[in-house]
Amino acid sequence: MKYIKGTMTATGEVGGSDELNVTTVNTHPVPDIRTSPMPNGNHKTVVDSQPKRRVSIISDAPMNVGAAGYDNLAFEQNPRRKISQTSTHSHTDIGPARRRSILKETPLHDNESDRGSMHSLDNYRQGVIDGLNGKYQGHQQPGSHDSTNYVEQSWMYSFCLKCRGEEPTESWEPPFWQKVFPYPLCPTFRTFSRLIVLILIGILLWIVAFVIIGDTAAPGGQLFSLVVLTVAANFGGYIISLTTLPRLIGMLLVGILFQNVGWVDLDGDFSKVTGHLRKFALTIILTRAGLEMEPEAFKKVYKTILKLGIVPWIVEAAVMTIMSHYLLDLPWIWGCLLGAIIAAISPAVVVPCLFRLRTKGYGVAKGIPTLVVAVAGVDDALSVAIFGIVSTIMFSDKGLGYQIAQAPVCILGGLAFGVIWGSLARIFPEKGDAYVVPLRTLMLFAGNLVAIYGSEELGFEGAGPLAVVFSSFVSNLFWCKDGWDVDDNPVSTAFEIFWMIFEPILFGLTGATIKISELDSHTVSIGAACIFTGVIIRIFITAGIAFGDRLNTKEKFFVGLSWMAKATVQAALGPVALKNLGENATDEERNWAEIVQTICVFSIVLTAPLGAILISVTGTRMLTKTKQPQVLTGWRRSHRPSIRDISIIDEEEEREDPEVPTDKETHDNTQNNAHLTNLSYTASK
């Protein structure tokens, strides 16, 4: 009995279709197929010296899905999909596949004209560059034949490419687009269309808000002014980010510009709205600080983190308190309030700069970037907690016993709430829930808001910030045990998106509190001296107490330099003291509150850009570079995230379980293939 090589379709038929590949186990070369005569005169098709060949279904995914498809087209095909119950390729041998969220699905360009347009686009771009190079060389001396690509080496070309940004996939463009908006001077069609959509959405939402709210949403109203300020601050941050400086600098400058030109007025009753926006922003800042602490690193070097996070903070806060009391005539309690705010570190400035150094391999061997980020979280929690305690004592009219109880109650209450709420976040929702990411995000955010507002309502304002940081840290600790990665935590990504919304609001509002015409030059100059004095002393204290931490002298000073930038906490808490003053406050108290607010704003202007520059410049000279390349696609995200970075469904593929009854198609397929242990048939006549 002879056999012929064949293929098998998904329904068990044998034929020449390429719907499903077949692999053969063959120990001999495949001979030629020819016709041999039979004794009775008939002919038979045979394969000489062809042994039996076992045929098995290999695991390659079908190449042609077609209109019917195998699964929902919104999800990626499983590369190891079981064809029937008798298939030997089980998904348990290879682990689960990831199901792609619909939000992350990239549409395919099946249109021939689209593919042609994209192919011609590359040719057009290269032609434009070659043409510009030719014109440039035409202005050179006649005898020179230099093939240097002057266009791609020019600063204008680099600047335009930086403005265009990087897209995850090639952008489709109409045929006329490059003629009207040439590359690389103009944005892609995708960027342009996205901008148009955002403008249309903004206009439609404004119309709805105007119909519901009324005049405050009309041009000239306070809500309308806030929206315009936020949009302008976001644009100002984008312009500043092109220089690699922190975006918040541009947002702050836009707020100062709007206030002093007279384009915004957010005082009066609307100040209550801005106060609540600041609390929301503060909640997001502290939640991100807790989520960015790596539990494993904290467990291993918690002594170093606490030592470097608490001792330098106390020293800088004390320096600011003493200098502001003697040089700015602030009372001791107001000096403590100012010192608690100024001593905080800004992760919004530190983290992006550390990411650029880490991608190049600087400081990775000793874990310096992780250490700096962890200490920044502890530092912010300490600043906000002490500020809450001091603020409660200042603006409370209760007895001495209540004021003495502030510190222990706030610390113990904040820790207890954080541990309890973080533990609940592990159990609820259940980790296998299809909507575990949005539910965990909303639950953590809502609980932290309750902690901030509840502690204030109970009169223990310092407990709320500690509760927020600890609940976020404890939640992250349990989620990491369940398999999530700190660097690619989807809840952390969600809060980063929240921060992208509230960042221009916070820094735009903070900048709008500064009126240049009312500034006192003496206050500004003395305040700047106090800020830099505290920063310099903190750097030396950090380098001095970092003994026994396996850091050399240069690395110790770099760690101190990286903690000089001020931004987020100062913007959130700087104007709070002035807002808390009642109608019966004296002019002297208002003057003190304005001094605190002014110094907080100028601490951002002075230290944020300087800190970012010093981290970038000194990092390459003071840190040791590892030789191995660093692939850090997840570490603190090199790009600004979007909603595409969050899967709102569980990304575990729903697999076909052998114990679960199969559908009719799989059952028929199994029955047809059950007897085919070897694919063979008799071709005799």
Side-chain angles (χ1 to χ4, degrees):
M1 186 180 298
K2 303 300 180 180
Y3 303 95
I4 295 179
K5 182 178 85 170
T7 58
M8 182 175 67
T9 65
T11 59
E13 298 174 2
V14 177
S17 171
D18 57 358
E19 294 181 46
L20 183 66
N21 295 328
V22 174
T23 183
T24 62
V25 180
N26 183 15
T27 58
H28 300 280
V30 179
D32 295 334
I33 300 177
R34 56 184 180 270
T35 302
S36 60
M38 301 295 292
N40 57 4
N42 297 329
H43 290 76
K44 175 183 176 182
T45 302
V46 297
V47 180
D48 288 349
S49 303
Q50 175 67 42
K52 285 187 177 182
R53 289 185 291 172
R54 298 174 59 191
V55 180
S56 63
I57 302 171
I58 66 172
S59 57
D60 292 342
M63 298 300 295
N64 184 16
V65 178
Y70 287 94
D71 293 315
N72 187 345
L73 293 180
F75 303 95
E76 64 182 358
Q77 295 293 327
N78 177 18
R80 304 262 183 175
R81 184 175 184 273
K82 290 179 65 176
I83 302 302
S84 68
Q85 296 290 337
T86 58
S87 174
T88 60
H89 297 82
S90 174
H91 66 84
T92 58
D93 297 333
I94 59 174
R98 292 175 61 87
R99 187 172 64 181
R100 184 177 303 169
S101 169
I102 297 177
L103 296 176
K104 302 171 72 171
E105 182 68 24
T106 303
L108 299 176
H109 294 281
D110 292 334
N111 194 326
E112 290 292 338
S113 61
D114 292 352
R115 290 196 294 266
S117 175
M118 294 171 61
H119 179 70
S120 61
L121 175 61
D122 296 334
N123 296 334
Y124 180 82
R125 290 176 177 176
Q126 188 60 39
V128 170
I129 295 176
D130 293 341
L132 292 175
N133 283 324
K135 291 181 180 180
Y136 181 86
Q137 294 177 2
H139 293 285
Q140 304 301 312
Q141 296 180 359
S144 62
H145 297 284
D146 191 359
S147 59
T148 304
N149 195 332
Y150 295 98
V151 175
E152 294 184 354
Q153 294 180 357
S154 65
W155 68 269
M156 179 64 73
Y157 181 83
S158 301
F159 181 78
C160 291
L161 285 183
K162 191 173 184 62
C163 292
R164 288 172 64 94
E166 296 182 0
E167 296 289 348
T169 57
E170 187 70 23
S171 172
W172 176 85
E173 295 178 352
F176 63 85
W177 185 259
Q178 288 297 331
K179 297 179 181 179
V180 181
F181 305 99
Y183 171 88
L185 301 178
C186 299
T188 61
F189 178 76
R190 177 180 298 168
T191 303
F192 175 77
S193 61
R194 182 187 304 148
L195 181 62
I196 294 297
V197 170
L198 292 176
I199 293 175
L200 290 176
I201 292 174
I203 293 175
L204 295 176
L205 292 178
W206 172 76
I207 294 174
V208 175
F210 176 73
V211 172
I212 297 175
I213 300 176
D215 294 338
T216 186
Q222 290 182 312
L223 180 60
F224 184 85
S225 300
L226 176 62
V227 174
V228 173
L229 174 63
T230 303
V231 174
N234 201 8
F235 180 74
Y238 169 73
I239 296 298
I240 293 296
S241 67
L242 298 177
T243 64
T244 69
L245 289 176
R247 299 170 63 96
L248 57 90
I249 299 298
M251 299 173 184
L252 190 69
L253 295 178
V254 168
I256 296 175
L257 175 65
F258 270 54
Q259 177 61 258
N260 291 274
V261 175
W263 291 347
V264 64
D265 181 16
L266 302 176
D267 296 329
D269 295 337
F270 200 75
S271 60
K272 296 181 180 179
V273 176
T274 60
H276 290 299
L277 291 175
R278 290 182 187 278
K279 290 180 181 178
F280 273 67
L282 180 63
T283 303
I284 296 172
I285 293 170
L286 296 176
T287 302
R288 294 188 63 201
L291 291 175
E292 287 179 350
M293 295 183 188
E294 295 192 21
E296 291 298 326
F298 197 90
K299 182 179 179 180
K300 293 178 181 178
V301 293
Y302 70 95
K303 293 182 179 180
T304 299
I305 293 175
L306 293 178
K307 177 180 64 177
L308 296 180
I310 295 177
V311 176
W313 183 93
I314 294 176
V315 172
E316 185 176 5
V319 170
M320 177 58 66
T321 301
I322 296 172
M323 294 187 69
S324 63
H325 174 72
Y326 288 105
L327 299 180
L328 295 174
D329 296 327
L330 288 180
W332 284 109
I333 190 69
W334 283 88
C336 291
L337 186 75
L338 178 60
I341 302 174
I342 295 298
I345 304 170
S346 174
V349 178
V350 174
V351 171
C353 298
L354 288 177
F355 179 85
R356 288 192 291 268
L357 291 175
R358 185 178 168 93
T359 53
K360 298 176 182 178
Y362 290 100
V364 176
K366 296 184 179 180
I368 293 178
T370 302
L371 173 65
V372 172
V373 173
V375 171
V378 174
D379 195 275
D380 286 353
L382 185 60
S383 290
V384 181
I386 299 300
F387 171 85
I389 295 173
V390 175
S391 178
T392 303
I393 295 174
M394 287 175 57
F395 300 107
S396 175
D397 55 356
K398 297 184 179 181
L400 180 62
Y402 169 81
Q403 295 180 358
I404 295 176
Q406 278 290 316
V409 171
C410 288
I411 295 174
L412 296 178
L415 293 178
F417 180 89
V419 172
I420 294 173
W421 195 253
S423 301
L424 288 176
R426 180 188 186 182
I427 305 174
F428 306 103
E430 193 270 331
K431 62 181 181 180
D433 195 316
Y435 301 96
V436 64
V437 174
L439 290 178
R440 282 180 173 178
T441 302
L442 295 177
M443 183 176 177
L444 184 61
F445 192 29
N448 290 346
L449 285 175
V450 169
I452 294 293
Y453 281 94
S455 62
E456 181 180 351
E457 188 68 22
L458 294 175
F460 295 93
E461 191 175 349
L466 284 177
V468 172
V469 175
F470 272 93
S471 65
S472 304
F473 175 76
V474 173
S475 300
N476 193 34
L477 173 64
F478 288 131
W479 296 339
C480 289
K481 291 182 178 180
D482 290 339
W484 280 11
D485 188 11
V486 177
D487 298 336
D488 282 326
N489 187 339
V491 174
S492 180
T493 304
F495 277 95
E496 192 169 354
I497 295 174
F498 292 162
W499 176 240
M500 289 171 57
I501 299 173
F502 279 89
E503 185 182 20
I505 298 176
L506 176 62
F507 288 100
L509 290 175
T510 303
T513 60
I514 297 299
K515 298 179 181 179
I516 297 179
S517 60
E518 299 179 3
L519 290 179
D520 184 8
S521 59
H522 176 265
T523 300
V524 173
S525 58
I526 297 299
C530 295
I531 292 170
F532 283 114
T533 301
V535 166
I536 293 173
I537 294 177
R538 176 171 185 158
I539 293 174
F540 282 96
I541 291 296
T542 301
I545 67 172
F547 53 85
D549 298 328
R550 300 183 300 106
L551 302 178
N552 58 39
T553 303
K554 291 183 178 180
E555 292 168 343
K556 293 177 182 178
F557 276 98
F558 173 80
V559 170
L561 284 172
S562 63
W563 290 331
M564 69 171 294
K566 322 290 181 185
T568 47
V569 173
Q570 290 74 17
L573 301 181
V576 170
L578 186 60
K579 303 295 182 183
N580 288 339
L581 291 176
E583 297 179 354
N584 298 327
T586 63
D587 293 338
E588 190 176 26
E589 289 176 335
R590 294 190 180 277
N591 181 50
W592 294 335
E594 290 176 354
I595 290 176
V596 171
Q597 177 178 277
T598 301
I599 294 179
C600 288
V601 174
F602 272 91
S603 69
I604 302 173
V605 176
L606 296 176
T607 62
L610 182 60
I613 294 173
L614 288 178
I615 292 174
S616 302
V617 173
T618 61
T620 57
R621 293 170 172 80
M622 303 177 73
L623 298 181
T624 304
K625 184 177 181 180
T626 58
K627 297 181 180 180
Q628 297 179 355
Q630 301 297 314
V631 181
L632 304 167
T633 56
W635 195 87
R636 312 302 179 206
R637 291 199 182 278
S638 59
H639 64 284
R640 288 174 69 82
S642 67
I643 195 66
R644 293 175 298 180
D645 294 322
I646 302 178
S647 297
I648 63 172
I649 59 175
D650 186 20
E651 297 205 353
E652 288 295 326
E653 176 77 352
E654 292 181 355
R655 298 286 188 163
E656 177 185 317
D657 195 304
E659 299 178 358
V660 179
T662 59
D663 55 13
K664 185 177 183 302
E665 181 181 357
T666 304
H667 177 72
D668 294 342
N669 190 18
T670 302
Q671 293 298 323
N672 292 333
N673 294 334
H675 66 286
L676 295 177
T677 56
N678 295 306
L679 181 62
S680 60
Y681 69 94
T682 303
S684 60
K685 183 176 179 181

